Amino acid sequence: MISLGIQSLWNRRFVVLLTVFSIALSVALILGVERLRSQARLAFANSASGIDLIVAPRGNDVQILMATVFGVGSTGSGLNWDTFEYVSDLPQTAWAVPIMMGDNHRGYPVIGTSTAYFEHFRHSNGQELRFASGHAFENAHDAVIGAEIAAEFGYALGTEIINAHGSGSVAFHQHDEAPFSISGVLAPTGTAVDRMVLISLDGFDALHQDEAPVQSDPFEALGSEAARSAPTSDHDHAEHDEHAQDTHEGHAEADHDEHEHDAREDHDEADHDAHAHDTHEEHSDADHSKHEHDAHKDHTKADHDDHADHAHEEHEPEPEQINAIYVGLKSASGILGVQRALNETAPEPLSAVMPNVALLQLWSITGTAEGALRIMAAAVAVAGMVGMVVMLSAALESRRREFAILRSVGATPGTIFGLIVLEAVLVTLGGLALGLALLTIGALVADPVLSANFGFRMGAALSLPREGLLILAVFCFGFLASLLPALRVYRMTLADGLTMRL
Amino acid sequence: MNALTIDSLQFRWPNNTKPVLDLASFALAPGESVLLKGPSGIGKSTLLSAIAGVINIPANAVSVAGTDVGTLSGSARDRFRVDHLGLVFQVFNLLPWLNTLDNVLLPCRFSKRRRDRAGHDPQETARALLTDLGLGDPALMSAPASTLSVGQQQRVAAARALIGAPELILADEPTSALDEATKHQFVELLMRECAQAKAALLFVSHDTGLEQHFDRVVDFRDLNRGASA
Ligand SMILES: Nc1ncnc2c1ncn2[C@@H]1O[C@H](COP(=O)(O)OP(=O)(O)OP(=O)(O)O)[C@@H](O)[C@H]1O
Ligand SMILES: [Mg+2]
C-alpha cells in the first residue's frame, strides 16, 4: 500500500515535488520564526539572570540592557566614579560591579570590569561563571575571554591579544601599544559572556588614558539616548556641523548658550581636544551631562583619529568614567527604594533598569513583528496545504481509470480513500522533512551572523515540545486537508464501479 | 460446484424503466470457456458487472464458486472479487506508473487467497506467466506499463487475471483493440493459461471469428429476455 502510494506519487513527481517544496518552505518559515523567537528570548533571559538592577546614564531601558548585557549598541555618556561609589553605598545594595565598554577584540566586545564580576554574575537560572582554565585577571594586562572567542580564534592561556577601538568589527584604531595576555578562559555559558573579552578597569583605562570610554565609540548613535537628538551618524565633518546647527536652533533648552555654539562651529580639529576638555572642566556637576552631551556630538570618526594621533600625551588622564553598574540587591523589595534614591539624590541623572522588565519591554516591541511574521508563516502554510489539495484534486479526474483498475483487483473504495490520504501524508511528511532540512541549513548559515550580532543562535537541533507541536499541527492539517479529495474520490469510486469512462 | 451459476437474475439501472438484465438461467462449469456475443448496448458489460459484484443485485441470483454474490456487503464483494475472479477489460487495464511485474502482482497485494495460490514465490509465478504469454524479456518486466504496446498490455492484463488461479475469468472485449493476428494469438494464450489454472472463462466479444477457440458460444439475445422484450 505504501509502495503503491510512493509509486503513484513518483509518477507525478514534478507536481509532487513542487507541492512538497511549498510545504517545506512553510514549515521552515513557521519553525524558523518560532525558533528565532524562543532562542532569542531564552538567550536574553539567561544572560540577564542574577542582575537585579543595571544602573546607567539616563536613557532607554531596552537600550541600556542591550548595551550592557549583550554588548549590542552602547549606553549614552559615561558615569563618574562618584556614582559608582554612591550606588555601592546605598543601603539596599548587596554588590555592585562596574562595567566599561566601547572596545572590541576582532569584533567581540571588550568589557572593563572588576573581579567582582566573576563573583556575582549569574546566568541561566543562577549558575555562576566558571573558568575552563586559568583565573580572573590580576593586573591591567590580563584578560579573561569567553568560551566562544577561545574556540573561534584558538586562544589559550598566555596568548597575547590586541584590542581595538569601537564596538563594531571594523577596527578604527588598534591599541597596538597595549597588548593583553589571557589569564583565564571561561566555560561556555550559552550567553553573551561567551563572546566577551573581560579586562580590568585599569586595563581598560590604560587603553584610553584621557578618552572617556563612551566618547571613544564612533557608533554611539546606534545606542545612546543622548545621541538620539543629535545627528552623530554623520561622519563628514562639514555636513555634521550644519546639522548640529539646525538641531540646536530647534532646541529650547535654557542653558544652551551662543558661546558654545560658536566655539564649536569654528573649531578646527587641532583645537578640538582643548575645547572638549575645557567644557568638562568649566561646568559644575549639575549641568555636566548637558555639556558633555554637547561636547560629544562633535566627536566623529575623523575627530578621533586625529585626537588619538596628536593630542594624546598632552593631557592628564581624566577622572575614570564607567558605562554602567550591575547591582545586586540585598532583597528584591529594595528595588523601589533604590529607584527612588537614584531619582532623587544621585550625583547625575541615572536610569536603574530591571533586566526582566526591560526584556518584557523589548518583547512587547518585537511582539508586533513576531505576530506579523507568524501570520505570514501560517499563511504560507495554508497556501502550501491548499496547493496540496489542488494537486490531489486536480489529478482525481485523470486518475479515475486507475481507481477502477485498483477496484477490479480487489481495492475497496476505502482502500482508495486510504491511498489518497496516504499520498497526502507522504507529501506532508516530505514537506516536513525538507522543511526541517531547509531550516537546519538556514540555521547553520544564520547562526554565525546571529551569534556575532545578537549573541544567540537558532541552533540546528529541534527544540521540543513547541516545535514538535507545530510539526504535529502541520501534519494534522495536511491529514485533514487530504480528507477533502479523499472523500470525493470515495464517492466517485462508489459510483463508477469498474466502468471506465474515457 | 459450478464456476458460475445464474438463476433468474433481473437488473434495472436506476434511471431506466425496464430491466437491462433478465436472465432465466445460465451456468459455467469449472474450467469451461464460453464466448458471449451480442449487439452493442444489450447489457453484456452490465452482466459482467453483476457477476463481479460491482452493481447491486438481489440475493440468490448469481453465485460464483458457490458464493451468492447478491448477499455480500460492499467491502465483502471487493474482497470476494479479487479472491475468486480475474478481470480483463477492453483497454487500459494497467496502472501506468507500475512496472509490468507489479501490475501482474496487484491481485496478490490485495488478496491473501490469490497470494497463497500463486505458489510459494508469487514473483516467480508472475514471471513464468509473463514468459508463457511471450513477455519473458526482463527489460519488459521492469518497464513501466505505460511503455508497453496495446497487445502487450492486454497480455499483461491476462497474466494479472490468471495469477493465483481464480475460479472465473471475466473478459470484456479484450481483443477489440488488437489486429487480426494478435487477436487469435491472444485468445489462444488466454485459453491455454486458463486451462492450466483450471479457471472458467466468460469472454465477451462481437467478433464471430473467435468462436472456434471456445467450448461454447452463447448469443446474449437468447439468454437475456430483457433485451429482446
Ligand atoms: N453506469 C450506468 N448507468 C446507467 N445506465 C447504464 C450504465 N452502464 C450501462 N448502462 C446502460 O445499460 C445498457 C447496457 O449497457 P452495456 O454497457 O451493458 O452494453 P454492452 O452490451 O456491454 O454494449 P457494448 O457491446 O457496446 O459494450 C445500455 O443501455 C446503457 O445505457
Ligand atoms: Mg460493453
Side-chain angles (χ1 to χ4, degrees):
Chain A
M1 184 75 183
I2 289 178
S3 82
L4 272 188
I6 291 173
Q7 279 169 292
S8 157
L9 286 176
W10 182 247
N11 184 47
R12 290 168 290 143
R13 53 192 167 275
F14 181 68
V15 189
V16 170
L17 277 181
L18 282 183
T19 312
V20 165
F21 193 68
S22 78
I23 293 176
L25 277 183
S26 68
V27 168
L29 202 61
I30 289 178
L31 292 185
V33 167
E34 192 54 37
R35 194 176 290 179
L36 211 58
R37 193 190 84 95
S38 62
Q39 288 303 107
R41 293 193 171 194
L42 191 69
F44 280 32
N46 280 344
S47 295
S49 82
I51 304 169
D52 291 323
L53 280 180
I54 299 163
V55 174
R58 184 155 294 166
N60 178 287
D61 285 7
V62 172
Q63 252 167 17
I64 291 171
L65 179 79
M66 293 298 288
T68 58
V69 179
F70 307 110
V72 177
S74 71
T75 60
S77 41
L79 294 175
N80 285 321
W81 190 250
D82 301 357
T83 307
F84 177 73
E85 282 170 348
Y86 167 81
V87 170
S88 343
D89 292 345
L90 285 173
Q92 296 92 340
T93 303
W95 51 264
V97 175
I99 301 291
M100 292 171 90
M101 309 176 309
D103 275 4
N104 77 84
H105 173 69
R106 297 168 95 168
Y108 290 94
V110 174
I111 307 291
T113 184
S114 68
T115 48
Y117 184 93
F118 303 104
E119 208 179 306
H120 295 297
F121 188 86
R122 295 287 182 277
H123 67 93
S124 317
N125 295 323
Q127 296 179 51
E128 292 183 30
L129 286 177
R130 280 191 314 102
F131 282 91
S133 60
H135 50 79
F137 41 75
E138 283 171 345
N139 59 50
H141 295 286
D142 283 350
V144 171
I145 56 171
E148 190 179 317
I149 297 180
E152 172 88 16
F153 302 118
Y155 290 164
L157 295 184
T159 308
E160 298 249 299
I161 60 173
I162 288 165
N163 296 333
H165 223 43
S167 59
S169 48
V170 182
F172 292 107
H173 173 66
Q174 298 268 347
H175 296 296
D176 298 348
E177 69 282 6
F180 287 86
S181 156
I182 293 173
S183 71
V185 177
L186 292 169
T189 63
T191 69
V193 176
D194 291 355
R195 309 175 303 114
M196 287 178 177
V197 174
L198 300 161
I199 59 176
S200 65
L201 294 175
D202 288 349
F204 202 96
D205 236 23
L207 281 183
H208 296 263
Q209 300 184 10
D210 58 342
E211 298 172 50
V214 163
Q215 295 179 338
S216 68
D217 180 3
F219 283 161
E220 66 193 352
L222 289 176
S224 113
E225 167 84 355
R228 279 188 153 188
S229 57
T232 40
S233 59
D234 288 335
H235 282 203
D236 178 60
H237 206 95
E239 193 185 332
H240 174 81
D241 270 356
E242 271 171 42
H243 262 279
Q245 173 87 54
D246 292 349
T247 315
H248 278 263
E249 276 167 10
H251 267 261
E253 286 173 38
D255 63 347
H256 181 71
D257 63 347
E258 198 53 38
H259 159 73
E260 249 183 68
H261 219 67
D262 291 341
R264 211 153 22 77
E265 265 187 294
D266 38 13
H267 90 256
D268 62 30
E269 311 215 329
D271 71 17
H272 167 76
D273 291 298
H275 167 67
H277 205 72
D278 291 352
T279 311
H280 277 285
E281 287 179 356
E282 275 168 26
H283 293 282
S284 69
D285 264 358
D287 53 2
H288 173 89
S289 83
K290 170 65 196 150
H291 289 289
E292 182 184 296
H293 172 113
D294 285 343
H296 85 246
K297 277 178 196 163
D298 296 334
H299 279 262
T300 62
K301 173 182 174 292
D303 284 341
H304 272 305
D305 288 345
D306 246 295
H307 178 77
D309 287 342
H310 21 97
H312 240 247
E313 306 81 21
E314 301 167 20
H315 295 281
E316 295 286 318
E318 279 195 353
E320 188 178 83
Q321 285 212 322
I322 60 175
N323 291 85
I325 309 167
Y326 289 173
V327 179
L329 298 173
K330 287 175 180 150
S331 78
S333 57
I335 284 176
L336 289 178
V338 174
Q339 282 185 326
R340 194 176 325 110
L342 292 182
N343 280 332
E344 289 167 7
T345 61
E348 50 188 321
L350 297 174
S351 282
V353 179
M354 286 188 269
N356 291 336
V357 175
L359 275 179
L360 284 181
Q361 272 179 28
L362 177 61
W363 302 146
S364 75
I365 294 166
T366 57
T368 322
E370 280 170 14
L373 273 176
R374 280 173 154 183
I375 290 172
M376 239 174 62
V380 174
V382 170
M385 290 299 168
V386 168
M388 184 176 76
V389 171
V390 167
M391 174 203 88
L392 291 173
S393 304
L396 290 188
E397 276 308 313
S398 55
R399 294 177 74 195
R400 276 185 124 145
R401 194 165 64 236
E402 258 174 55
F403 300 138
I405 293 166
L406 282 169
R407 294 222 44 208
S408 79
V409 294
T412 63
T415 315
I416 288 162
F417 179 91
L419 184 69
I420 300 293
V421 172
L422 178 76
E423 288 183 6
V425 164
L426 288 173
V427 166
T428 310
L429 285 179
L432 282 169
L434 185 64
L436 284 174
L438 285 179
L439 180 64
T440 307
I441 294 168
L444 290 179
V445 172
D447 272 353
V449 180
L450 286 175
S451 161
N453 292 309
F454 304 107
F456 70 94
R457 32 183 98 238
M458 282 167 80
L462 201 62
S463 76
L464 300 166
R466 249 202 107 86
E467 292 186 6
L469 276 179
L470 282 173
I471 288 173
L472 198 71
V474 171
F475 180 79
C476 290
F477 193 32
F479 177 80
L480 288 179
S482 75
L483 295 183
L484 219 71
L487 273 174
R488 249 187 76 201
V489 95
Y490 183 82
R491 277 199 245 107
M492 216 159 82
T493 41
L494 272 185
D496 281 4
L498 306 185
T499 49
M500 308 217 198
R501 287 156 210 279
L502 301 176
Chain B
M1 183 174 50
N2 281 337
L4 168 69
T5 311
I6 293 176
D7 188 23
S8 55
L9 165 66
Q10 283 214 354
F11 176 80
R12 187 171 59 83
W13 285 110
N15 47 347
N16 285 12
T17 46
K18 56 177 194 173
V20 54
L21 295 181
D22 186 1
L23 283 76
S25 76
F26 178 67
L28 241 72
E32 189 185 13
S33 62
V34 170
L35 176 74
L36 189 64
K37 63 177 188 178
S40 182
I42 198 174
K44 303 182 296 295
S45 298
T46 308
L47 176 66
L48 295 192
S49 292
I51 298 169
V54 177
I55 56 180
N56 288 318
I57 49 167
N60 301 318
V62 175
S63 126
V64 174
T67 305
D68 185 348
V69 180
T71 59
L72 296 174
S73 73
S75 62
R77 275 192 246 158
D78 290 316
R79 274 193 300 278
F80 167 81
R81 181 185 315 127
V82 65
D83 280 348
H84 299 281
L85 294 172
L87 293 108
V88 185
F89 300 108
Q90 192 168 357
V91 280
F92 305 117
N93 277 287
L94 309 179
L95 292 183
W97 37 269
L98 278 185
N99 68 32
T100 304
L101 199 65
D102 284 341
N103 261 295
V104 174
L105 286 166
L106 271 176
C108 298
R109 259 183 216 263
F110 289 102
S111 161
K112 184 178 182 314
R113 184 175 191 267
R114 292 285 285 277
R115 200 158 55 234
D116 292 345
R117 285 163 69 98
H120 64 275
D121 183 6
Q123 291 239 1
E124 210 33 65
T125 312
R127 279 200 200 92
L129 263 172
L130 284 170
T131 311
D132 281 354
L133 290 165
L135 299 168
D137 183 356
L140 268 181
M141 290 195 202
S142 56
S146 52
T147 62
L148 302 182
S149 77
V150 177
Q152 287 170 330
Q153 287 189 29
Q154 291 306 80
R155 277 181 279 160
V156 174
R160 183 175 66 201
L162 285 159
I163 195 166
E167 281 87 348
L168 177 61
I169 307 288
L170 301 177
D172 195 351
E173 307 185 39
T175 55
S176 60
L178 306 180
D179 63 50
E180 203 60 26
T182 330
K183 211 180 267 181
H184 287 282
Q185 190 202 16
F186 176 81
V187 175
E188 270 163 26
L189 286 171
L190 183 62
M191 299 295 291
R192 196 177 78 205
E193 295 303 319
C194 280
Q196 212 159 45
K198 300 186 183 64
L201 172 66
L202 184 57
F203 191 106
V204 171
S205 180
H206 303 284
D207 197 332
T208 47
L210 295 173
E211 288 177 10
Q212 63 197 61
H213 299 287
F214 290 84
D215 297 341
R216 195 147 59 100
V217 177
V218 175
D219 191 324
F220 201 61
R221 280 164 294 190
D222 302 337
L223 198 64
N224 193 3
R225 290 176 307 213
S228 53

